[in-house]
Every structure is written in C-alpha cells, then in structure tokens.
Amino acid sequence: MARQVVIGLEIHLQLNTKTKLFCECSTDYIGATPNSNVCQICLAIPGTLPIINDHAVELAVKMGLGLHCTINDNTRFHRKHYFYADLPKAYQVTQYEHAIATGGYLDIVVDGKKKRVRLDHLHLEEDAGKLVHPTSDGRLSGASYSLVDYNRGGIPLSEIVSMPDMNSAAEAIAYITQIRQLARYLKVSDGEMESGSLRVDVNVSLSNPDGSLGTRVEIKNVNSLKSIERALDYEIARQNRALDTGEPLYMETRLWDDVAGVTRSMRNKESARDYRYYLEMDLAPIDAKPEYVQKIRESMPEMPWDKRDRFVEQYGLSFEDSVKITEQLEMAEYFEKCVAQGAPADKAANWLMIEISRVLNEKGICICEFGVDAAETGKLIAKIAAKELSNTQAKDVFAVMIEKCCTLEEAIKSSGASVGRVEGCALEQIVRKIIDGQPEVAETIRSGEDKKGGKMKFLQGLVMRETRGSANPAEVAQLIEKLLK
C-alpha cells in the first residue's frame, strides 16, 4: 500500500484591531521604533491586569461563523508556559480547552474537484514579540546575538487549526488561499504573509501501510505560499527516503531554510503537558450569547464561495473567470456595478481581468484605489457592446478617464472620439483619401496582380486605423472595390 501524505495546518491571523488584545497599545507596529508601542501590561510588569479587547472577540466570532464553526459561550483563556525571550511573562495567554469556536469546515477546489477540510477549532491568543538578528539577511544563522522588539507582543491573533484532511501541497495552498480570502472579505485581517499578518505552521506525516498516521513533523518559518509548497515537497521526500532506508523519524519541530531549500531539526515537539496549561484567572469568561452571535451573523457579507457560484449561475461566467472576479470583494463589487449600468457580464469580466488589471499592476494599486468609478466603466463597456464605440476608441477614452479621473462623457469630449460608426458619405471620403494616398497599391489591385489579397487587406487596415476601428470592415471592403473600379 502506497504511503499517503497527511497534512494539517495551523493558521495564525493577525486581527484588524487598533489596540492589542489585553491593553490599549497600538497594533501599528510596522516601521515603528522598537519597543515604542508597549506598556506595563504587555511588558508584564507585576501588579498589572489585562482587559479583553471586545473588537477582537467580535472578529474571531465572525471568522468562526464564516468557517461554519459552533460559537461557544463562556469560553476561557489559559496560560501556556514556555521560556523564550519573545514572551516577557514567560507564558502566552491563549485558549486551550475552551476555544471560542469549534468544529466547522472549509470546502476547497483543486483541479476542478471540491474537497471538504474539517476544522478542529479556532481560538484567540496574544502574539509574541519579535527577535531581531543583526545579520545582513536578518536571519538567526550567523548572528552573534539577538535583540527583541515587543511592539508585536500582545497583538490579537486568531489561530485556526485544521484536521489532517489535506493530502498534497496543492490542497494546502488552496486551503490557505481560501482562508486568506475569507479573512479579507470579512475584514478580519489583511492576510499579508509578507508582513506577518498571516503565518502558517505546517504539520505533515506519511500514513503507515495499515492506514494509521505516521510520525508527525511540524514545519515553522514558512512565510510565503511558495515557501510552503517547497517545504512540503522537501519534507515529504525526506520522510519517504527515511522510511525506505529504515532511518527513524521523530516527532519534532523543524525549521524551513528557504535559502538552502531544506528543513532543519529545531527541537522535539512539545506535548500539552510540557506547556503546563492552566486557567488564566485574571480574565473573566468570554460572553458570547446566541443573540450576540446572531447580531454578528446578520452583519456579515455574502461568502466568497457563494458569490463565486452565484456569478456562474446569474451572469453565465465560467467557473475560472468567476474565481478571478470574486477573488477580492472589491473587484466583485466593481463588476456588479458595471453590469448594473448595462455592461454585458462577459464583456465586463474581460475588461476587469485584462484592461483594469493591467492598470492596477502597472500602478501597483488595488481596485479600491482605482480612480475610475465603476458606473462610468460600466457605461463605457455598454457603449462598446452597442457598437457606439470601437475597442480602439474605448481604450483611448478609458486612458483619459484614468488620467483625469473624469466621467465617460467628459473623456469622450476630451479625446475627440466620435460615438457611433463611421459610415455612408463620411466613410467614403476616408476610403477615397486612403486610396489617393496609395496610388501604387491601388494600381496593383486594379491590374489584377493582387492574387492573395494582401494589398486589399493593407488598404482595409489603413481605413480601419483612420476610423479608429469604428467602421464596418465589410462595408470598407465593398467601398474599396467600388472606388477602385
């Protein structure tokens, strides 16, 4: 029996609060002077008492509801003991036996197939400080000493623990990506792995021939989706190699070395007993009564996967296009505002995925920073569909809309674009002008030497360029033939 890969993930989401979990210190630590956003509470000065951040509780409940969890009332905090420089108290305030949300699931899609990943629980906890290493790359390796910055210490985290239901790196990436999408839809967290707002601990093992779970290894220090994929590929190969050669595997925590592309043994995996959990008596139970939970539920937007499926059914988008359009809530809302102005859904989707995405990438901004109103873009796409503007004209007009942040009508006037097709006498004048300007080409066609029609297509192209694509190609061809005779 082939060994099956078994993966479980622990995702830490930094919650979008202005203050820390148990004090009023700012959570805006990026770029701040080290140890400037700290107080007696987050530095664990004796005699201080923590006070729970209600907004953090609300965000955790919201995330739990989005993941189909059961929200528990009267949940408690525990002290998790471990001695490390990033914890001034020598313990972390977290939830152990009484998590705020339990159960739940997330449906992911990999290679067109849907798979359900079950959740064990979601709990609240405080973040630790950050160790700073005085090396050129900021890594521990090669550092003669380390410094600690407590600005991040005490920031509220939501830890989401999955069941070991994933069986490949692709499934793990899909799961993480969808968790991040949900967090952004609910405005629970920005989910930026680069800044540490989303961090992942990866647990991986290979099943035994009898189907039982093998020795589990935890991988830390994976700070990008690509790193997670590489770390999993390496660790799966390492464990297979060890099992093939009879080398023993240990339950341990391993560190991912992104430069070398290997995992390295960090420490033996602790058990719950090692952490000496006990109740945090300085904090009262969290009050999450059914009416409180229902109020939060009613405030939540449409879930991203529901919106994705609705766009397929309501607007006739392909599943792949719907996934792209609904990846960001703001992009999905922009799309629907375009359609509300009469833009055909397929053309609006293409315009967003090609023209608008190109501008966003060039400027390095998100759709919420885009200066062109969705309603105006929708009107523009509607004019293209009605053949009042050619694609070429529309792109010229759109460039003006972007540059001047103006309305469609203002951009049309500014660009000098003519709304509607060039036809009749106006088109005939343009065709005559092109023919008169290309006497040698015209003579080649008249003499019958244009066997493959290349010269004729050349003239047609000149006319279409002159009309900015607003002429009917068939009518242009007929006029050229007529005037040449």
Side-chain angles (χ1 to χ4, degrees):
M1 180 179 176
R3 302 181 188 114
Q4 185 179 41
V5 176
V6 180
I7 300 169
L9 299 176
E10 300 168 16
I11 294 181
H12 299 78
L13 278 176
Q14 188 179 109
L15 300 178
N16 275 337
T17 61
K18 292 182 178 179
T19 57
K20 294 183 180 181
L21 187 55
F22 301 121
C23 67
E24 295 185 353
C25 290
S26 171
T27 56
D28 187 15
Y29 66 90
I30 302 296
T33 302
N35 297 309
S36 59
N37 292 348
V38 294
C39 69
Q40 295 92 332
I41 293 175
C42 48
L43 289 178
I45 302 300
T48 56
L49 292 174
I51 301 174
I52 188 68
N53 184 330
D54 291 340
H55 189 213
V57 175
E58 179 185 338
L59 294 180
V61 170
K62 189 174 287 188
M63 194 68 188
L65 290 174
L67 292 168
H68 312 96
C69 298
T70 298
I71 306 302
N72 301 311
D73 191 16
N74 289 313
T75 57
R76 298 299 303 265
F77 282 99
H78 283 72
R79 294 184 179 183
K80 176 183 179 181
H81 293 81
Y82 65 91
F83 298 95
Y84 202 58
D86 59 4
L87 278 183
K89 294 190 287 282
Y91 62 83
Q92 179 188 32
V93 179
T94 183
Q95 291 184 311
Y96 175 47
E97 293 175 329
H98 306 285
I100 194 167
T102 51
Y105 64 87
L106 183 66
D107 290 330
I108 61 174
V109 178
V110 178
D111 296 331
K113 296 179 181 179
K114 185 179 287 188
K115 177 172 183 176
R116 177 159 294 183
V117 178
R118 296 167 300 153
L119 303 181
D120 184 79
H121 71 273
L122 175 154
H123 69 258
L124 269 169
E125 65 182 21
E126 63 177 343
D127 205 349
K130 182 180 180 180
L131 294 181
V132 181
H133 313 294
T135 51
S136 59
D137 59 1
R139 297 177 184 275
L140 174 62
S141 178
S144 56
Y145 63 91
S146 295
L147 303 172
V148 63
D149 178 7
Y150 288 119
N151 280 344
R152 197 178 69 182
I155 283 181
L157 297 179
S158 168
E159 181 172 346
I160 303 162
V161 181
S162 81
M163 299 293 280
D165 288 349
M166 288 158 277
N167 305 115
S168 68
E171 290 181 0
I173 298 301
Y175 174 83
I176 297 166
T177 301
Q178 202 153 314
I179 289 281
R180 180 177 63 185
Q181 181 190 33
L182 177 62
R184 290 173 174 173
Y185 259 66
L186 298 178
K187 303 189 186 315
V188 164
S189 173
D190 62 25
E192 293 291 345
M193 296 189 74
E194 295 80 4
S195 64
S197 295
L198 187 154
R199 303 196 292 277
V200 183
D201 293 338
V202 180
N203 293 282
V204 57
S205 65
L206 301 179
S207 64
N208 296 312
D210 61 2
S212 61
L213 294 179
T215 302
R216 177 170 60 92
V217 169
E218 181 184 45
I219 310 173
K220 288 185 175 291
N221 195 41
V222 279
N223 51 20
S224 71
L225 294 177
K226 187 63 179 177
S227 293
I228 291 170
E229 183 179 17
R230 292 177 62 212
L232 276 170
D233 288 343
Y234 174 85
E235 185 60 25
I236 291 166
R238 185 189 75 84
Q239 292 187 27
N240 265 313
R241 193 164 52 247
L243 292 172
D244 288 342
T245 59
E247 179 185 342
L249 288 172
Y250 302 100
M251 192 168 81
E252 61 180 340
T253 298
R254 296 180 70 87
L255 195 70
W256 170 246
D257 186 330
D258 202 48
V259 175
V262 300
T263 61
R264 304 185 190 281
S265 183
M266 183 178 175
R267 60 175 180 263
N268 291 334
K269 181 63 180 169
E270 300 91 342
S271 66
R273 186 175 180 179
D274 296 325
Y275 289 125
R276 294 183 295 115
Y277 285 100
Y278 67 81
L279 277 176
E280 171 57 88
M281 301 306 294
D282 289 337
L283 288 164
I286 294 176
D287 187 5
K289 296 287 189 291
E291 55 271 21
Y292 168 79
V293 174
Q294 182 59 27
K295 186 176 180 180
I296 294 176
R297 190 192 304 274
E298 291 171 355
S299 72
M300 293 169 63
E302 183 180 25
M303 295 296 99
W305 42 85
D306 293 333
K307 192 180 292 290
R308 176 200 67 201
D309 294 343
R310 178 171 66 81
F311 278 19
V312 172
E313 182 177 348
Q314 180 177 344
Y315 298 116
L317 300 183
S318 68
F319 183 83
E320 292 75 16
D321 286 352
S322 185
V323 168
K324 293 176 183 177
I325 293 295
T326 59
E327 181 179 354
Q328 300 176 44
L329 175 60
E330 294 81 5
M331 182 71 84
E333 292 174 340
Y334 198 99
F335 165 79
E336 292 209 276
K337 288 176 182 176
C338 287
V339 174
Q341 294 297 322
D346 58 340
K347 293 186 182 298
N350 285 335
W351 199 267
L352 260 75
M353 291 187 293
I354 298 174
E355 297 301 327
I356 293 179
S357 293
R358 174 182 56 79
V359 176
L360 298 180
N361 291 333
E362 288 174 355
K363 293 180 175 289
I365 59 175
C366 64
I367 189 71
C368 54
E369 299 172 293
F370 191 48
V372 180
D373 185 73
E376 297 302 314
T377 302
K379 293 174 186 176
L380 174 66
I381 299 169
K383 285 189 178 296
I384 300 171
K387 302 190 185 307
E388 295 178 19
L389 285 173
S390 68
N391 279 320
T392 303
Q393 288 176 310
K395 290 177 183 178
D396 291 343
V397 171
F398 194 56
V400 175
M401 294 168 71
I402 294 170
E403 180 184 355
K404 299 185 176 181
C405 294
C406 60
T407 65
L408 172 62
E409 294 305 319
E410 290 169 341
I412 288 174
K413 290 178 183 177
S414 179
S415 65
S418 57
V419 178
R421 283 202 177 280
V422 178
E423 53 190 2
C425 294
L427 180 59
E428 185 172 329
Q429 288 179 358
I430 292 174
V431 173
R432 285 184 185 278
K433 172 186 170 184
I434 295 298
I435 290 175
D436 291 344
Q438 299 289 334
E440 293 182 4
V441 175
E443 186 56 37
T444 300
I445 298 172
R446 286 194 187 98
S447 65
E449 295 180 14
D450 187 26
K451 303 296 184 182
K452 295 184 179 180
K455 301 296 184 182
M456 175 65 80
K457 290 179 180 178
F458 172 70
L459 291 181
Q460 288 175 312
L462 292 178
V463 174
M464 294 304 294
R465 185 171 66 181
E466 183 71 17
T467 61
R468 305 296 294 165
S470 60
N472 186 326
E475 187 179 355
V476 170
Q478 292 172 359
L479 274 172
I480 292 175
E481 289 182 7
K482 173 186 171 183
L483 296 175
L484 284 175
K485 289 178 181 179

